[in-house]
Amino acid sequence: MNFPTVFIDGDQGTTGLHIHDRLRDRADLRLLTLPPGERKDPQRRAQAINDCDIAILCLPDQAAREAVGFIRNPEVRVIDASSAHRTQPDWVYGFPEMAQGQAQRIAQARRVTNPGCYPTGAIALLRPLAQAGLLPRDYPVAISAISGYSGGGRAAIDAHESSGTPRVPPSQVYGLALEHKHTPEMQQHAGLASRPFFVPAYGAYRQGIVLTVPIELRLLPAGVDGERLHACLARHYADERHVHVMSLADAQAMTHLDPQALNGTNDLRIGVFVNEEHGQVLLSAVFDNLGKGASGAAVQNLELMLGAM
C-alpha cells in the first residue's frame, strides 16, 4: 500500500518539532525527513518538497516563500505554518471552524495557510458575531492576549529555560509600535472594516493563551445583549469537536482564566462574561499556543487534506 508522504520543512523549530512528535508514530503515512547536514541545502529541500504529497512549512516567512518557489510538481499540496500567506486570496485559510464549509475547502485545497496563534482566538470570537450583524464591522475592536513564552520561538524558550541567561521578567507586554504582524490577519478573517487595536504579552510559563475582547453593549445594534452574543457563538460552534462555548452560568461562576487550562490539546474554549448593569461584556478564548495555535492546527488541517486523498 502506498501511504501519503508528508515532508516537514523546518522540523527542528518549535512548531516543527511538535508536529513531528504528533506524526512520527503514525502507521498511515510516511514521514520524510532530511539528515541534519541537508536541512539547509536548497537542492535537497527542493527535492524533498517535490517528492512528497503534502509539505508542511515550519519556517520564517521568507524561507516559506522560497520553499513554495521550489515546487515544480503540480500534485504537491502545502500547509504553511508561517505568516507568509495568511492574507493571500489564493491560499485557503486553515481555520476549519471559522465558517460553514471551511473544513471542506481545506480538505480540497492545494495551498493551506495555518492561522497565527493570536488570530485563532480573535477570529473565533469576532467573526461569527460580525457575520450575524451583532457586532458592527466598524466596531473599535481592542484585543488583549497573553501567551506562554514558547510563542516567541526558540530564542524566547532559551532565555527562560537556559541556566546561563539573564533573569527574564515574569510578564512582558510587547508590540508597542502597534505593528504586530498578526493584526492584518485578524482584521481580514474576522471581517472587520478597520484595524483592531492589539496588545500582546508573554508570561513566565511555557505555553497557553488567554485572549480577551471587551465589548460595550451601547455601541452594538439595539436589542443586542450578552445573551444574544453568547447564543450566536454557541450556535456557531454547536457541532464542533475542538471549539467549545461555556454556558453563561459556568462563565458567571468563574473567578479567573487559566491560560494553561487546555495545554496539550487541540481545543479552544470560549467564554462570554456579562455585566448587564454596566452594559459590558468580555469575550475570552483559552487555548494552547502550541496546540490549536500552531502544531495541533497544522495536524488538524493535515487530517482534513489526507481524508480527501
Side-chain angles (χ1 to χ4, degrees):
M1 181 178 294
N2 292 324
F3 293 115
T5 299
V6 175
F7 171 55
I8 305 172
D9 194 2
D11 62 357
Q12 296 305 298
T14 305
T15 299
L17 283 170
H18 279 79
I19 294 173
H20 190 276
D21 286 346
R22 289 169 181 258
L23 298 180
R24 63 184 175 187
D25 295 326
R26 294 273 296 263
D28 60 336
L29 56 81
R30 187 169 72 92
L31 196 57
L32 176 61
T33 60
L34 294 178
E38 298 180 1
R39 288 175 184 148
K40 295 185 179 182
D41 183 331
Q43 290 186 331
R44 287 293 291 119
R45 288 175 55 218
Q47 180 183 349
I49 289 174
N50 283 283
D51 286 347
C52 74
D53 294 295
I54 300 178
I56 305 177
L57 309 181
C58 302
L59 303 163
D61 289 4
Q62 186 53 42
R65 296 185 187 98
E66 177 187 61
V68 173
F70 289 155
I71 298 174
R72 297 293 178 264
N73 180 352
E75 299 302 314
V76 173
R77 305 169 75 190
V78 179
I79 299 171
D80 183 8
S82 82
S83 61
H85 301 100
R86 289 177 185 160
T87 59
Q88 298 300 310
D90 51 344
W91 285 68
V92 174
Y93 195 62
F95 187 0
E97 300 88 357
M98 180 178 78
Q100 185 175 8
Q102 192 69 11
Q104 290 73 26
R105 285 187 279 273
I106 293 166
Q108 300 295 333
R110 313 301 303 179
R111 302 287 183 266
V112 173
T113 176
N114 230 44
C117 55
Y118 294 127
T120 296
I123 294 162
L125 296 175
L126 296 168
R127 184 180 175 114
L129 303 179
Q131 280 192 322
L134 303 182
L135 183 79
R137 294 182 186 274
D138 61 352
Y139 185 92
V141 170
I143 301 164
S144 295
I146 184 165
S147 170
Y149 57 75
S150 58
R154 180 165 292 178
I157 293 173
D158 289 345
H160 281 266
E161 298 181 358
S162 297
S163 59
T165 58
R167 182 180 180 276
V168 179
S171 181
Q172 302 175 74
V173 175
Y174 68 104
L176 302 182
L178 305 180
E179 290 286 355
H180 195 284
K181 68 178 182 178
H182 286 173
T183 308
E185 179 186 349
M186 292 176 178
Q187 178 183 346
Q188 177 173 315
H189 296 292
L192 303 176
S194 57
R195 182 183 181 91
F197 197 106
F198 175 47
V199 181
Y202 287 136
Y205 61 96
R206 199 173 203 277
Q207 63 196 81
I209 286 179
V210 168
L211 181 144
T212 58
V213 180
I215 301 293
E216 293 281 355
L217 293 177
R218 62 186 173 81
L219 300 179
L220 304 188
V224 177
D225 57 12
E227 288 190 4
R228 286 189 65 187
L229 296 176
H230 177 269
C232 176
L233 291 167
R235 185 167 55 250
H236 183 88
Y237 296 112
D239 299 322
E240 298 296 347
R241 175 183 173 190
H242 293 295
V243 180
H244 314 278
V245 180
M246 290 191 298
S247 70
L248 286 172
D250 286 345
Q252 185 177 12
M254 295 191 73
T255 59
H256 67 278
L257 291 168
D258 178 3
Q260 303 177 89
L262 295 178
N263 281 1
T265 77
N266 195 47
D267 295 340
L268 184 150
R269 181 184 299 147
I270 288 173
V272 180
F273 303 90
V274 183
N275 188 312
E276 295 287 359
E277 178 184 356
H278 299 303
Q280 295 177 323
V281 171
L282 184 69
L283 308 176
S284 72
V286 175
F287 55 106
D288 183 352
N289 60 289
L290 297 180
K292 187 62 173 169
S295 58
V299 173
Q300 184 180 358
N301 289 328
L302 176 66
E303 297 283 7
L304 290 168
M305 296 168 77
L306 290 173
M309 293 180 68

